[in-house]
């Protein structure tokens, strides 16, 4: 059961002119499930991507990087579930390449104009025959209003599709943003077993797309964690189809640039938080906010130490205000000169610890009350500077173990 | 059920001349359990300690560091379970100090000659009345052959006491080593919610004790992990009572120094591995061996990434050879220039991955066979140097969640 995660509201999933999506059942790993998605882009779209920091990155990630660096314009994306095509060596690269060639042939474009994405089990050969056999059906299904179906088509252990949209007005023109994501385990900053696709019809110069995709990743997908495992396949792709007729955005610092970035970041953050809300076995959604650091980096270290601690996460699961575990995580986060007497800890509005010790006014029943909620904010003050960072995570339950002990069976 | 962990063999727990141990039930947190231990040292013992790297270190750890740095000779240790006296601020320091003063008063020594240790729940005030009321009984119980009772007296979530010994001959003199440890969760290098005490009757110069205790920690307790949480209270204390009559060891590089270090390291490693074998919810004992690194540090990074991955640990629990999860952990371990095509992976004798892809000769049933064992060695080759490191860990089970969701109740 995801934590406070409503099903996508189709009324807010806006068609993006120039971006058509088709989904089919190719039987990649199991029959009878949507597992193959194509995204077809009209000529002239601006596209950029951010990919996993995992050095063991999957074959499709390697190809995406190559294709985006080629200087060619991107015209299609090909996404399969059921198989991650990671840990597959040279053969895996050849297989990913083969699927790009096959799709490019059917569309009359170059293979380098296709971005491939795979998610699922690692270290098994990609079944290219089944994928290539499914291409015609996926292409035939391509429509502007297929965002929800695409969100379903990229799910793996997700229990719900994840899709959000937004609209803004810019210079008299209506601008739409729609996005989908998937991911539920192997989720950690930089980025997650996570796929995210966010498209807008706004006119955006290719020159600012890299900065835009980085900003969206940093403000959303790079701030969520479920289990601390960074996947081999994480990919966030940002598309501007350049159809809306607004004056082209050539700087993110411009008024229009800031407005578009804010709208897209809102969608990206919802998509990223949805992954945590649907985290494997999650029963609670936890916001970890670290303030008073000297640098943003040390705030992130502390926030992730808390967000990754199995002891903290099981305490949340148990609704047990065993808050010393949070302080212990602060202590081992890796700030070598941290002075524990400067540490403050709040649980929502409850003031738990001060100067590194229990706040005299703290009462266990207040901590208990907050711990029972399904949404909890942990706020840590480091007392050594002005930097602040926020990450989002979930608790750690029996169900997590069950899901991951059974994933392949 | 601990993994292949026999009960201590009392025949190998040797009395250490000059080291008497007494244990009592002080009712620190719960009644009817041994929870207060004193270790009384004759004059003239050499003593050193290694303590947690957690910046949120507990009050007793702060006092241990102070007392050891004071230049005074150590004469007693005072160990309580049920309460960690961590996250307790200035009041916690005063309470720890009070227990040292109380014990010192009864023994006619200075408070600085007492080393205090606490383990248990964090952020609750240490019940000094109960501890101080128990001192007389603990002192009255002091005997040379109480090692097993002490191992029981320092247990928290441990399911079994942990105690080992060794004997060697040196210059015609028999040298004995005995040690105890506790810890089962919040276990991670540097060090663990772990207490370890290792004593020998050998004559060892105080000048080499620091080097000796560091060497023992690095080769044992700093190489085990259960859940990646570094505790606030980890302490390893090494004692040489200087009673055996051997020529004093003034260098660990001497023949005698090496022999003693090897014997004590053997005991330390058994004590540390016992903590993993008794890890909370553990059903398997995993050795992670990383070879071919440029530096020992990068080998450790990779070993710990594997040993801490909830996905890897749940796969071991499930006996599922989902070995891509291990490769993924290698990839995100933080070696920025790692070339995945140099990676090799073995599971015991089974050659799983080569050049970053599946070994063509690997068969799933071979991986399955090894995964079903209760003891498994994961061996990763990085193919970029000659450094090697080994860490020990356990799997991640439903029982871990149950234990840690219920710990305080």
């Amino acid at each position: 059961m995801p934590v406070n995660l409503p099903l996508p509201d189709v009324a807010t999933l806006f068609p993006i002119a120039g971006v058509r999506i088709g989904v089919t059942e190719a039987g990649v790993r199991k029959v009878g499930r949507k597992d193959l998605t194509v995204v077809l882009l009209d000529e002239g779209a601006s596209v950029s991507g951010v990919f996993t920091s995992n050095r063991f990155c999957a074959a499709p990630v390697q190809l995406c990087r190559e294709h985006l660096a080629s200087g060619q314009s991107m015209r299609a994306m090909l996404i399969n579930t059921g198989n991650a095509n990671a840990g597959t060596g040279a053969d895996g690269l050849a297989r990913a390449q083969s699927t790009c060639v096959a799709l490019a042939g059917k569309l009359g474009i170059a293979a380098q104009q296709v971005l491939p994405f795979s998610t699922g089990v690692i270290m098994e050969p990609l079944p290219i025959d089944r994928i290539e056999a499914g291409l015609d059906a996926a292409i035939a299904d391509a429509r502007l209003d297929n965002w929800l179906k695409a969100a379903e088509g990229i799910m793996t252990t997700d229990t719900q599709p994840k899709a959000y949209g937004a609209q803004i007005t810019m210079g008299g023109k209506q601008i739409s943003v729609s996005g989908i994501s998937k991911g539920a385990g192997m989720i950690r900053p930089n980025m997650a077993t996570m796929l995210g696709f966010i498209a807008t019809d706004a006119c955006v110069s290719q020159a600012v797309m890299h900065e835009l995709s980085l900003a969206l990743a940093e403000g959303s997908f790079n701030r969520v964690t479920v289990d601390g495992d960074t996947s081999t396949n994480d990919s966030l792709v940002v598309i501007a189809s350049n159809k809306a007729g607004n004056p082209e955005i050539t700087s993110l610092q411009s008024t229009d640039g800031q407005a578009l970035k804010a709208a897209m970041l809102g969608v990206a953050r919802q998509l990223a938080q949805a992954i945590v809300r649907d985290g494997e076995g999650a029963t609670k959604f936890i916001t970890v906010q670290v303030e008073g650091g000297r640098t943003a980096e040390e705030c992130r270290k502390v926030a992730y130490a808390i967000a990754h601690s199995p002891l903290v996460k099981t305490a949340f699961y148990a609704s047990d205000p065993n808050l010393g575990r949070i302080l212990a995580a602060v202590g081992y986060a890796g700030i070598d000169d941290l002075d524990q007497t400067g540490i403050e800890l709040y649980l929502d509005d409850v003031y738990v610890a001060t100067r590194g010790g229990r706040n005299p006014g703290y009462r266990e029943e207040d901590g208990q009350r907050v711990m029972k909620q399904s949404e909890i904010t942990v706020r840590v003050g480091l007392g050594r500077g002005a930097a602040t960072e926020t990450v989002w995570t979930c608790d750690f339950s029996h169900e997590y173990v069950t899901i991951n002990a059974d994933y392949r069976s």
Side-chain angles (χ1 to χ4, degrees), chain A residues 17 28 52 77 107 109 148 166 192 226 275 287 305 347-348 359:
Chain A
V28 174
T52 183
M77 300 193 290
L107 299 174
I109 59 175
L148 178 57
V226 169
I275 288 173
T287 300
L347 208 60
D348 275 14
N359 170 27

Side-chain angles (χ1 to χ4, degrees), chain A residues 73-350:
Chain A
S73 60
M74 294 303 120
R75 294 295 307 282
M77 300 193 290
L78 175 60
I79 311 152
N80 74 269
T81 65
N83 185 307
N85 196 9
T88 47
D91 177 65
L93 268 176
R95 286 172 189 257
Q97 178 65 19
S98 164
T99 64
C100 292
V101 168
L103 179 59
K106 292 180 187 294
L107 299 174
I109 59 175
Q112 281 187 317
Q113 295 180 293
V114 178
L115 298 177
F117 306 87
S118 295
T119 176
V121 177
I122 309 182
M123 255 184 79
E124 299 198 357
L126 189 72
I128 48 178
D129 292 353
R130 277 171 257 161
I131 289 173
E132 289 170 17
L135 290 177
D136 284 336
I139 294 168
D141 185 56
R143 287 159 34 188
L144 289 173
D145 61 353
N146 251 350
W147 283 96
L148 178 57
K149 196 169 174 187
E152 293 164 355
I154 63 174
M155 289 166 63
T156 53
T157 55
D158 307 66
T159 70
Q160 280 187 202
K162 300 166 179 77
Y164 296 90
Q167 281 187 324
I168 55 174
T169 306
M170 194 178 285
K173 302 291 182 183
Q174 180 169 270
I175 304 288
S176 297
V177 178
S178 285
I180 57 174
S181 66
K182 63 87 34 180
M186 212 187 257
I187 300 295
R188 174 192 172 127
N190 312 307
M191 298 172 359
T193 298
M194 185 228 88
L195 298 179
F197 302 95
I198 305 176
T200 178
D201 51 7
C203 298
V204 183
S205 157
Q206 178 66 42
V208 303
M209 289 301 288
H210 181 62
E211 184 187 347
L212 178 61
S213 58
L214 276 184
L216 296 184
E218 279 296 301
S220 62
F221 294 103
N222 280 352
R223 292 294 174 275
V224 296
T225 180
V226 169
D227 50 19
D229 279 81
T230 305
S231 135
T232 50
N233 291 55
D234 305 334
S235 306
L236 168 67
V237 171
V238 179
I239 299 157
S241 69
N242 291 315
K243 298 276 193 184
N246 61 300
E248 187 182 58
I249 294 172
T250 55
S251 161
L252 293 185
Q253 281 68 53
S254 68
T255 307
D256 283 359
Q258 290 190 25
L260 181 67
K261 188 172 97 170
M264 295 187 87
L265 188 56
V267 171
R269 202 165 274 177
Q270 284 178 292
L271 290 171
Q273 292 186 356
I275 288 173
V276 173
R277 292 181 185 283
D278 198 17
E280 289 173 350
T283 74
K284 297 187 182 175
F285 180 80
I286 317 290
T287 300
V288 182
Q289 198 175 321
V290 177
E291 308 169 346
R294 286 204 191 128
T295 63
E297 190 198 350
E298 71 177 31
C299 292
R300 279 196 299 277
K301 275 187 183 177
V302 170
Y304 283 124
I306 295 168
H308 289 152
S309 160
L311 288 174
V312 170
K313 291 164 92 81
T314 47
F316 278 121
Y317 172 55
S319 300
D320 178 2
N322 193 335
L323 303 169
R325 292 178 179 180
I326 297 177
L327 296 182
V330 173
Y332 68 67
I335 305 183
D336 288 340
D337 61 351
L338 184 69
D339 175 5
Q340 65 170 269
T341 66
I343 307 298
E344 313 269 292
L345 173 63
Y346 289 82
L347 208 60
D348 275 14
D349 58 322
V350 176

